[in-house]
Amino acid sequence: MAQEVRGVVAPGRNEAVRVETIVVPDPGPGEAVVQVQACGVCHTDLHYKQGGISDDYPFLLGHEAAGVVEAVGEGVSDVAPGDFVILNWRAVCGQCRACKRGRPWYCFDTHNAEQKMTLKSDGRALEPALGIGAFVEKTLVAAGQCTKVDPAVPPAVAGLLGCGVMAGIGAAINTGQVTRGDTVAVIGCGGVGDAAIAGARLAGAAKIIAVDIDDRKLTTAEKIGATHVVNSATADPVAAIRELTGGFGADVVIEAVGRPETYKQAFYARDLAGTVVLVGVPTPEMKLELPLLDVFGRGGSLKSSWYGDCLPSRDFPMLVDLHQQGRLDLGAFVTETIALDEVEKAFERMHGGDVLRSVVVF
Ligand code: APR
Ligand code: ZN
Ligand code: ZN
């Protein structure tokens, strides 16, 4: 039978979000209902609220979540009721060209639930953020969006792997292929950049240079694993990174802001034949201008990292295990835990600069 639960809805462009009663259908074929235990507040949720993603209001916000599977529909065999899972927004199809070529992290036909959750008040269908919608006591997703992990990890920590933290770690280890002895620079040290620092450390980078315009961010970056910091509001980051790397530039530079000027810094701060990874998300009007001769002459690779080029079934359990072994401090990303009705306040705090992640705990 369909259930009624409480969830956070963005009703219209720039309107304050509010807690509403949501109707969650029973899982159909290939679907699962998950009892959400924790869900982080991500910039993408704010972008939905502001109309930066689409105009398909009302949105059910939240997508960095962990919880327990309550029920599964017909044909679901990978997860079962009682499993502790992290939700992902790219349930790979296994059938498209990317999947069949053995590169499922590029899948272009990822799955979401077929049925819609609805608003109790007027019956309107909700558009779930990134096909998840998890600021809600229970959510309906495609079963492939559930990745089973060790239930010993606290949900507030586990959920963060569902989006921003995975994007950052994956930018370093999957896309950037950072390895032992590499020099790495990370431009922009919010949640995503700091996760890239944690990923670079995990991979054995010899030097990890954190760049930001805010000293508080640099202090946190050092705690997470940066060996050197550069405040690019007061120093030229390209010159500083070169100086810290024997005049060469870094092997891998990760851009975690999403702006042309920081991308250019990343481009020129890497060593010849080095790698630039763009994990920051630009906006549609942004343009990049670079001398084509420099693009050619400096060699190497310029890559983008979507969701950290992650494969949830491979990466989530592995990163949870490393956390449990004390080798990756995912807890450092949880700045505060909040209640369901505090999401609007968390959006306001996002721009204050001292929150990596606020996490709604149920
Ligand atoms: N140079 C260096 N750092 C900058 C600059 C700049 N010009 N402008 C902003 N920053 C820093 C901010 O001070 C902040 O620490 O970049 C960081 C951005 O962090 P957040 O706003 O917390 O964003 P985050 O969640 O880390 O996401 C970063 O990745 O997934 C995308 O959409 C997301 O584009 C965003 C990026
Ligand atoms: Zn596919
Ligand atoms: Zn997110």
Side-chain angles (χ1 to χ4, degrees):
M1 229 182 53
Q3 309 186 61
E4 290 180 7
V5 295
R6 294 181 335 126
V8 176
V9 171
R13 189 179 276 257
N14 276 322
E15 283 177 49
V17 301
R18 54 180 187 244
V19 176
E20 297 261 10
T21 302
I22 314 291
V23 180
V24 183
D26 282 343
E31 294 176 341
V33 168
V34 175
Q35 188 183 352
V36 181
Q37 294 180 318
C39 181
V41 183
C42 175
H43 282 81
T44 304
D45 295 304
L46 179 60
H47 292 159
Y48 272 106
K49 169 191 145 159
Q50 294 170 332
I53 312 261
S54 83
D55 273 320
D56 300 330
Y57 296 98
F59 295 113
L60 176 61
L61 299 183
H63 61 273
E64 294 190 352
V68 173
V69 175
E70 181 184 81
V72 297
E74 209 186 297
V76 174
S77 55
D78 282 351
V79 287
D83 284 349
F84 178 63
V85 295
I86 298 176
L87 300 182
N88 73 73
W89 42 268
R90 288 185 60 80
V92 300
C93 77
Q95 303 298 321
C96 72
R97 179 164 180 265
C99 283
K100 286 196 166 149
R101 293 176 85 202
R103 300 169 174 187
W105 46 91
Y106 295 137
C107 175
F108 38 75
D109 193 19
T110 58
H111 290 175
N112 298 128
E114 296 273 328
Q115 302 179 84
K116 290 286 184 193
M117 293 175 275
T118 53
L119 274 174
K120 189 191 178 197
S121 57
D122 58 12
R124 272 188 300 163
L126 288 158
E127 201 50 52
L130 294 178
I132 293 182
F135 290 142
V136 61
E137 291 159 322
K138 293 177 186 183
T139 187
L140 176 78
V141 292
Q145 293 183 265
C146 301
T147 308
K148 200 173 157 177
V149 298
D150 181 353
V153 66
V157 169
L160 297 189
L161 284 174
C163 184
V165 171
M166 183 68 247
I169 294 177
I173 67 177
N174 293 334
T175 318
Q177 303 268 297
V178 172
T179 189
R180 284 183 304 285
D182 277 353
T183 53
V184 176
V186 176
I187 302 180
C189 301
V192 174
D194 278 349
I197 289 170
R201 178 185 185 178
L202 196 60
K207 248 177 214 173
I208 306 172
I209 304 163
V211 180
D212 204 292
I213 48 176
D214 182 338
D215 278 329
R216 292 171 303 168
K217 298 289 188 164
L218 294 173
T219 306
T220 314
E222 270 184 311
K223 285 191 194 130
I224 286 173
T227 57
H228 299 79
V229 298
V230 174
N231 187 325
S232 56
T234 52
D236 171 6
V238 175
I241 291 167
R242 286 218 184 121
E243 200 180 308
L244 287 165
T245 52
F248 295 111
D251 296 310
V252 180
V253 185
I254 297 165
E255 203 279 1
V257 184
R259 300 191 56 83
E261 58 275 22
T262 38
Y263 188 89
K264 270 193 190 171
Q265 291 167 2
F267 180 84
Y268 286 110
R270 75 195 165 125
D271 194 7
L272 282 179
T275 301
V276 174
V277 176
L278 176 64
V279 65
V281 183
T283 53
E285 76 287 356
M286 290 175 177
K287 295 264 192 297
L288 177 70
E289 200 175 319
L290 280 172
L292 193 53
L293 186 59
D294 283 354
V295 175
F296 174 76
R298 301 178 62 83
S301 48
L302 308 175
K303 302 174 96 176
S304 305
S305 186
W306 307 331
Y307 201 1
D309 289 337
C310 79
L311 187 57
S313 57
R314 176 194 65 192
D315 295 338
F316 291 179
M318 181 257 300
L319 293 170
V320 163
D321 288 348
L322 292 177
H323 170 77
Q324 292 299 85
Q325 294 167 15
R327 295 159 73 186
L328 170 67
D329 182 11
L330 293 172
F333 293 88
V334 182
T335 311
E336 58 173 7
T337 56
I338 60 171
L340 190 62
D341 57 8
E342 294 178 300
V343 170
E344 184 64 42
K345 243 189 283 171
F347 283 151
E348 285 159 26
R349 254 190 315 251
M350 218 170 228
H351 290 295
D354 36 32
V355 177
L356 273 186
R357 274 298 187 268
S358 305
V359 181
V360 173
V361 173
F362 291 82

